[in-house]
Amino acid sequence: MKRSDVKSALLLLVTAVIWGMAFVSQSKGMEFVKPLTFMASRNFLATVFLLPFVIYRTMKYKVNIMANLRGGAVCGIVLAVADFCQQYGILNTTVAKAGFITALYIIFTPLLGVFIHKKVSTKVWICAVIAITGMYFISITDGLSIGTGDIFVFMCAIQFAIHILVIDGFGRNTDGVVLSFFQFAVCFAVCFVLAMIFDKPQPAQLKEGIIPILYAGILSSGIGYTLQTVGQKGFNPTAAALILSLESVIAAISGVMAYRFGILNTEQSLTQRQMLGCIIVFAAVILVQLPDFKFKERKINCDQNSMEKL
């Protein structure tokens, strides 16, 4: 594996950890503010957080502002739809089930990628199926039932798959930090207008929910999505989706910790079945990073060596 691929994989792994823990903050945040308000707040914080870095990079490097603005606008709209579906879905389904359904983007990414001529190796497909199996053990414990929240989170998974492919398309000709900045700015603008119309947020509500909003805004959005954008640059989008799917494992673990420390009121302990699922998902993520076994190339070399001996 190339050094650049190792770096990208590590950045995406850190992103998965941050996002997995964000499920707790998103669930907790809904106790204080409505979904559109939560989304507008987190994207505002992410935009402000990245502003100094954007100013620095535009002054030091030759950054194509218009290319980043175009890419950020598209990514921001897709992200706004994905976040909207996820936030409303979390209101009407369990955190565990939301984590499982959201992680289906690791299947939707290669499926949608086929339509834009993205090649997917057999190994990646196999690893995706293994990961889905593991996430089934993690999240589905009493049979899969479809409710309103499940449908919203399902649509969210499709949007996140599109988001990964869109970033892959724009990321090659843009600056990762600047692209993320415009992405959050556009997402904030959309969510702010809708929140003012439908949520009518109050300052007191924002003050009470400041901790989960800060985590979602600075860590999950500002740092997490930026690491995703930078880590995905030149990296296989399906493999990237598979690594990012580790967020479901982290979500399960952080949910347990949040319950034990009194942050969440719902029982979040892991069963042996869910622990097995964590191991399966982790194995799939490791496997996808191993180099492909080039059987044909080895066979040709062996045939050549045999001919030389004769």
Side-chain angles (χ1 to χ4, degrees), residues 7 9 87 90 109 132 141 198 201 244 249 252 277 285:
K7 179 182 177 181
Q87 286 300 134
I90 288 175
T109 299
I132 285 293
T141 58
F198 297 106
L244 292 173
V249 178
V285 173

Side-chain angles (χ1 to χ4, degrees), residues 12 15 19 42-43 70-84 86 102 105-106 108-110 112-113 116 118 155-172 174 176 179-187 220-230 232-233 235 237-238 240-241 244 247:
L12 293 170
T15 303
W19 283 354
R42 71 180 293 184
N43 282 284
R70 286 193 296 269
V74 176
C75 292
I77 292 173
V78 175
L79 180 61
V81 176
D83 279 352
F84 172 83
Q86 188 179 62
T102 298
Y105 63 74
I106 74 170
F108 294 140
T109 299
L112 295 175
I116 55 175
K118 288 284 184 182
M155 292 190 293
C156 149
I158 297 175
Q159 291 300 318
F160 276 133
I162 296 173
H163 186 253
I164 288 174
L165 294 173
V166 168
I167 286 181
D168 180 65
F170 285 106
R172 302 180 185 186
T174 56
L179 179 67
S180 290
F181 170 80
F182 285 120
Q183 169 184 248
F184 295 131
V186 170
C187 193
S220 181
S221 295
I223 296 177
Y225 279 108
T226 302
L227 290 180
Q228 179 207 6
T229 303
V230 175
Q232 259 197 252
K233 197 167 187 177
F235 197 71
T238 303
L244 292 173
E247 68 176 294

Side-chain angles (χ1 to χ4, degrees), residues 85 101-102 104 108 148-159:
C85 292
I101 299 174
T102 298
L104 287 175
F108 294 140
T148 303
D150 299 334
I151 294 173
F152 269 104
V153 180
F154 182 83
M155 292 190 293
C156 149
I158 297 175
Q159 291 300 318

Side-chain angles (χ1 to χ4, degrees), residues 20 25 33 45 64-65 68 83 131-132 157 162 164 166 172 197 203 216 223 242 248 260 287 300:
S25 70
V33 296
L45 289 173
N64 188 332
I65 298 297
N68 282 275
D83 279 352
I132 285 293
I162 296 173
I164 288 174
V166 168
R172 302 180 185 186
I197 296 174
I223 296 177
L242 193 54
S248 63
R260 290 184 178 179
L287 181 60
I300 293 173

Side-chain angles (χ1 to χ4, degrees), residues 162-295:
I162 296 173
H163 186 253
I164 288 174
L165 294 173
V166 168
I167 286 181
D168 180 65
F170 285 106
R172 302 180 185 186
N173 301 313
T174 56
D175 181 280
V177 176
V178 180
L179 179 67
S180 290
F181 170 80
F182 285 120
Q183 169 184 248
F184 295 131
V186 170
C187 193
F188 161 68
V190 173
C191 295
F192 176 76
V193 172
L194 293 176
M196 295 304 293
I197 296 174
F198 297 106
D199 287 359
K200 297 179 174 58
Q202 301 297 322
Q205 297 173 333
L206 295 172
K207 184 178 179 180
E208 291 177 352
I210 190 63
I211 299 299
I213 290 174
L214 284 173
Y215 183 93
I218 296 178
L219 283 171
S220 181
S221 295
I223 296 177
Y225 279 108
T226 302
L227 290 180
Q228 179 207 6
T229 303
V230 175
Q232 259 197 252
K233 197 167 187 177
F235 197 71
N236 184 294
T238 303
L242 193 54
I243 295 174
L244 292 173
S245 72
L246 268 177
E247 68 176 294
S248 63
V249 178
I250 305 302
I253 296 173
S254 60
V256 173
M257 299 302 295
Y259 174 74
R260 290 184 178 179
F261 284 100
I263 299 174
L264 296 179
N265 299 321
T266 306
E267 172 63 43
Q268 300 286 331
S269 60
L270 287 172
T271 63
Q272 291 183 348
R273 173 190 174 99
Q274 291 171 324
M275 289 296 295
L276 174 62
C278 292
I279 294 172
I280 293 174
V281 172
F282 185 74
V285 173
I286 295 299
L287 181 60
V288 79
Q289 295 306 310
L290 297 178
D292 292 328
F293 183 72
K294 299 180 180 179
F295 176 76

